[in-house]
Amino acid sequence: MIPFFGEAAAMTAALTWATSSMIFSNIGGKIGAQSVNRGRLLWSITFLTLLHWILEGQPWPHSTTPEQIGWLALSSVLGLVIGDAMLFQAFVILGARLSMLMMSSVPIMGTVLAWFLFDEVLTPVQIAGVALGVGGILTVIMMRKGRPANLEGRNYLIGILCGLGGAVGQVANLITAKYALVGGYSALSAAWIRTLIAVVLIWAIAALMGRVRRTIVACLAPDVRGWLMLGAFIGPAMGIWLSMLAVQNANVGIASTLMATPPVLLIVYEGVVLRRPVGLQAVIGTLMAFAGVALLFLF
């Protein structure tokens, strides 16, 4: 086996998620967060079908029990329909960096909920990780320097709440999906089912609201369609596949920590590449949040 293959896959997954978040944030400002989410889901199910065909030998899953479908449907509604709708709104309001920082609270929330729901005992180091992670996120969101221009007061609060809502949706998605993955059920098959359910629901809602035609026209705009397809491919499709390779070929703690680096990567991108003022407090807070996640998984 190639040395550090799993670690490389985990780091590449983080890069794909950071990149796709920037893409979705940019085009969301042009056509609206929910249009981006609807278009992304259509492309995602297309790419996941191809990926499932290549890796599993058939385009869609089989041998799925009604109970598993029920849990995956609940996971899809909580994570992809409600949670992602809020996350994409956060992308538009806050931008990619702050939105992904909110999403770094997912392992923290998941650890705390697992403590209550599954009686998973937290060690003193993990409790310190939770405190450090929460402290890091609060350090960033309480500062003014580094926020998007003209984002103050009520709008900033709405953006933060949307980002945290997206994180809560992701935690609920992971916990409910856990019940469907018992017995070694394929994570890729589960992702395909969850995405298909989300596509059906979110486009049905768009039809009821009379927004199907508007969404299609927006997603097919010349300055949007290529970016939308690229974001859907490298994020939901390649990111999921790479994350599975990472977990299969590396220590789960190391892989999980590396895959939690998008906020760090994005702050480097904004500060070094785009030369935007992000502030020392934002850098320290982001590193604190990442360190808190690392403590949860590595110790």
Short mmCIF file of all heavy atoms in Angstrom, two decimals, residues 48 52 61 64 68 72 75-76 80 177 180-181 185-197:
data_model
loop_
_atom_site.label_atom_id
_atom_site.label_comp_id
_atom_site.label_asym_id
_atom_site.label_seq_id
_atom_site.Cartn_x
_atom_site.Cartn_y
_atom_site.Cartn_z
N LEU A 48 -22.92 10.82 -7.99
CA LEU A 48 -22.94 9.70 -7.05
C LEU A 48 -23.40 8.41 -7.74
O LEU A 48 -22.91 7.33 -7.40
CB LEU A 48 -23.85 10.01 -5.87
CG LEU A 48 -23.27 10.95 -4.80
CD1 LEU A 48 -24.35 11.35 -3.81
CD2 LEU A 48 -22.10 10.31 -4.08
N HIS A 52 -21.13 5.25 -7.76
CA HIS A 52 -21.68 3.99 -7.23
C HIS A 52 -21.54 2.87 -8.27
O HIS A 52 -21.23 1.72 -7.93
CB HIS A 52 -23.15 4.19 -6.85
CG HIS A 52 -23.69 3.14 -5.93
ND1 HIS A 52 -24.10 1.90 -6.37
CD2 HIS A 52 -23.87 3.14 -4.58
CE1 HIS A 52 -24.52 1.19 -5.34
NE2 HIS A 52 -24.39 1.91 -4.24
N PRO A 61 -28.20 1.38 -5.18
CA PRO A 61 -28.10 0.35 -4.14
C PRO A 61 -29.19 -0.71 -4.25
O PRO A 61 -30.22 -0.50 -4.90
CB PRO A 61 -28.26 1.13 -2.83
CG PRO A 61 -28.05 2.56 -3.20
CD PRO A 61 -28.50 2.70 -4.61
N THR A 64 -31.63 -3.06 0.54
CA THR A 64 -31.82 -2.10 1.61
C THR A 64 -33.15 -2.39 2.31
O THR A 64 -34.18 -2.54 1.66
CB THR A 64 -31.85 -0.66 1.06
OG1 THR A 64 -30.68 -0.44 0.28
CG2 THR A 64 -31.89 0.36 2.20
N GLN A 68 -33.84 0.67 7.21
CA GLN A 68 -32.70 1.48 6.79
C GLN A 68 -33.16 2.67 5.95
O GLN A 68 -32.67 3.78 6.11
CB GLN A 68 -31.71 0.62 5.99
CG GLN A 68 -30.90 -0.34 6.85
CD GLN A 68 -30.03 -1.26 6.02
OE1 GLN A 68 -30.48 -1.81 5.00
NE2 GLN A 68 -28.79 -1.44 6.43
N LEU A 72 -32.52 6.58 6.73
CA LEU A 72 -31.83 7.41 5.73
C LEU A 72 -32.72 8.55 5.26
O LEU A 72 -32.23 9.64 4.96
CB LEU A 72 -31.40 6.54 4.54
CG LEU A 72 -30.26 5.55 4.84
CD1 LEU A 72 -30.03 4.62 3.67
CD2 LEU A 72 -28.97 6.30 5.19
N SER A 75 -32.52 11.07 7.97
CA SER A 75 -31.20 11.68 7.87
C SER A 75 -31.16 12.70 6.74
O SER A 75 -30.60 13.79 6.87
CB SER A 75 -30.15 10.60 7.65
OG SER A 75 -28.91 11.16 7.31
N SER A 76 -31.78 12.35 5.61
CA SER A 76 -31.79 13.24 4.44
C SER A 76 -32.56 14.52 4.72
O SER A 76 -32.10 15.62 4.40
CB SER A 76 -32.40 12.50 3.24
OG SER A 76 -32.46 13.35 2.12
N LEU A 80 -29.71 17.10 4.57
CA LEU A 80 -29.61 17.64 3.22
C LEU A 80 -30.70 18.65 2.88
O LEU A 80 -30.46 19.56 2.10
CB LEU A 80 -29.63 16.50 2.20
CG LEU A 80 -28.44 15.53 2.25
CD1 LEU A 80 -28.60 14.44 1.21
CD2 LEU A 80 -27.13 16.26 2.07
N ALA A 177 -28.22 8.61 10.49
CA ALA A 177 -27.63 7.72 9.50
C ALA A 177 -26.90 6.56 10.16
O ALA A 177 -26.79 5.47 9.59
CB ALA A 177 -26.68 8.50 8.58
N ALA A 180 -28.72 3.42 10.21
CA ALA A 180 -28.88 2.73 8.93
C ALA A 180 -27.61 2.02 8.49
O ALA A 180 -27.65 1.13 7.63
CB ALA A 180 -29.30 3.74 7.86
N LEU A 181 -26.47 2.38 9.08
CA LEU A 181 -25.19 1.83 8.63
C LEU A 181 -24.75 0.62 9.45
O LEU A 181 -23.63 0.15 9.29
CB LEU A 181 -24.11 2.91 8.71
CG LEU A 181 -24.29 4.08 7.74
CD1 LEU A 181 -23.28 5.17 8.00
CD2 LEU A 181 -24.18 3.60 6.29
N TYR A 185 -23.28 -1.76 6.18
CA TYR A 185 -23.93 -1.27 4.96
C TYR A 185 -23.07 -0.19 4.32
O TYR A 185 -22.47 0.64 4.99
CB TYR A 185 -25.32 -0.71 5.30
CG TYR A 185 -26.13 -0.33 4.09
CD1 TYR A 185 -26.71 -1.31 3.29
CD2 TYR A 185 -26.32 1.00 3.74
CE1 TYR A 185 -27.45 -0.96 2.18
CE2 TYR A 185 -27.07 1.35 2.64
CZ TYR A 185 -27.63 0.36 1.85
OH TYR A 185 -28.37 0.70 0.74
N SER A 186 -23.01 -0.20 2.98
CA SER A 186 -22.14 0.71 2.23
C SER A 186 -22.46 2.18 2.51
O SER A 186 -23.60 2.62 2.34
CB SER A 186 -22.29 0.43 0.73
OG SER A 186 -21.69 1.47 -0.04
N ALA A 187 -21.43 2.92 2.89
CA ALA A 187 -21.61 4.35 3.13
C ALA A 187 -21.95 5.07 1.83
O ALA A 187 -22.70 6.05 1.82
CB ALA A 187 -20.35 4.95 3.75
N LEU A 188 -21.39 4.60 0.71
CA LEU A 188 -21.68 5.21 -0.59
C LEU A 188 -23.14 4.97 -0.99
O LEU A 188 -23.81 5.87 -1.50
CB LEU A 188 -20.74 4.66 -1.66
CG LEU A 188 -20.86 5.27 -3.06
CD1 LEU A 188 -20.67 6.78 -3.01
CD2 LEU A 188 -19.85 4.64 -4.01
N SER A 189 -23.63 3.76 -0.73
CA SER A 189 -25.05 3.47 -1.00
C SER A 189 -25.95 4.33 -0.15
O SER A 189 -26.98 4.85 -0.61
CB SER A 189 -25.34 1.99 -0.73
OG SER A 189 -24.65 1.15 -1.64
N ALA A 190 -25.58 4.50 1.13
CA ALA A 190 -26.36 5.35 2.02
C ALA A 190 -26.37 6.79 1.52
O ALA A 190 -27.41 7.46 1.53
CB ALA A 190 -25.79 5.29 3.44
N ALA A 191 -25.22 7.27 1.05
CA ALA A 191 -25.14 8.63 0.52
C ALA A 191 -26.03 8.78 -0.71
O ALA A 191 -26.70 9.81 -0.89
CB ALA A 191 -23.70 8.98 0.19
N TRP A 192 -26.06 7.77 -1.56
CA TRP A 192 -26.90 7.81 -2.78
C TRP A 192 -28.37 7.91 -2.41
O TRP A 192 -29.12 8.72 -2.96
CB TRP A 192 -26.64 6.56 -3.62
CG TRP A 192 -27.27 6.60 -4.98
CD1 TRP A 192 -26.69 7.01 -6.14
CD2 TRP A 192 -28.62 6.21 -5.32
NE1 TRP A 192 -27.59 6.90 -7.18
CE2 TRP A 192 -28.78 6.42 -6.71
CE3 TRP A 192 -29.70 5.71 -4.59
CZ2 TRP A 192 -29.97 6.14 -7.38
CZ3 TRP A 192 -30.89 5.44 -5.25
CH2 TRP A 192 -31.02 5.65 -6.62
N ILE A 193 -28.82 7.07 -1.46
CA ILE A 193 -30.23 7.07 -1.06
C ILE A 193 -30.61 8.40 -0.42
O ILE A 193 -31.65 9.00 -0.73
CB ILE A 193 -30.51 5.91 -0.08
CG1 ILE A 193 -30.35 4.57 -0.81
CG2 ILE A 193 -31.90 6.02 0.51
CD1 ILE A 193 -30.39 3.36 0.10
N ARG A 194 -29.77 8.90 0.48
CA ARG A 194 -30.05 10.17 1.14
C ARG A 194 -30.14 11.30 0.13
O ARG A 194 -31.04 12.16 0.20
CB ARG A 194 -28.94 10.50 2.15
CG ARG A 194 -28.93 9.62 3.39
CD ARG A 194 -27.72 9.91 4.25
NE ARG A 194 -27.66 11.30 4.66
CZ ARG A 194 -26.74 12.16 4.22
NH1 ARG A 194 -25.81 11.79 3.38
NH2 ARG A 194 -26.76 13.40 4.65
N THR A 195 -29.24 11.31 -0.85
CA THR A 195 -29.24 12.38 -1.85
C THR A 195 -30.47 12.29 -2.74
O THR A 195 -31.09 13.32 -3.05
CB THR A 195 -27.96 12.31 -2.70
OG1 THR A 195 -26.82 12.37 -1.84
CG2 THR A 195 -27.90 13.47 -3.68
N LEU A 196 -30.85 11.09 -3.15
CA LEU A 196 -32.03 10.93 -4.00
C LEU A 196 -33.29 11.42 -3.27
O LEU A 196 -34.13 12.13 -3.86
CB LEU A 196 -32.21 9.47 -4.41
CG LEU A 196 -33.44 9.19 -5.29
CD1 LEU A 196 -33.30 9.91 -6.64
CD2 LEU A 196 -33.62 7.70 -5.51
N ILE A 197 -33.43 11.06 -2.02
CA ILE A 197 -34.58 11.52 -1.23
C ILE A 197 -34.60 13.04 -1.15
O ILE A 197 -35.66 13.68 -1.31
CB ILE A 197 -34.56 10.89 0.17
CG1 ILE A 197 -34.81 9.39 0.09
CG2 ILE A 197 -35.60 11.54 1.08
CD1 ILE A 197 -34.56 8.64 1.38
#
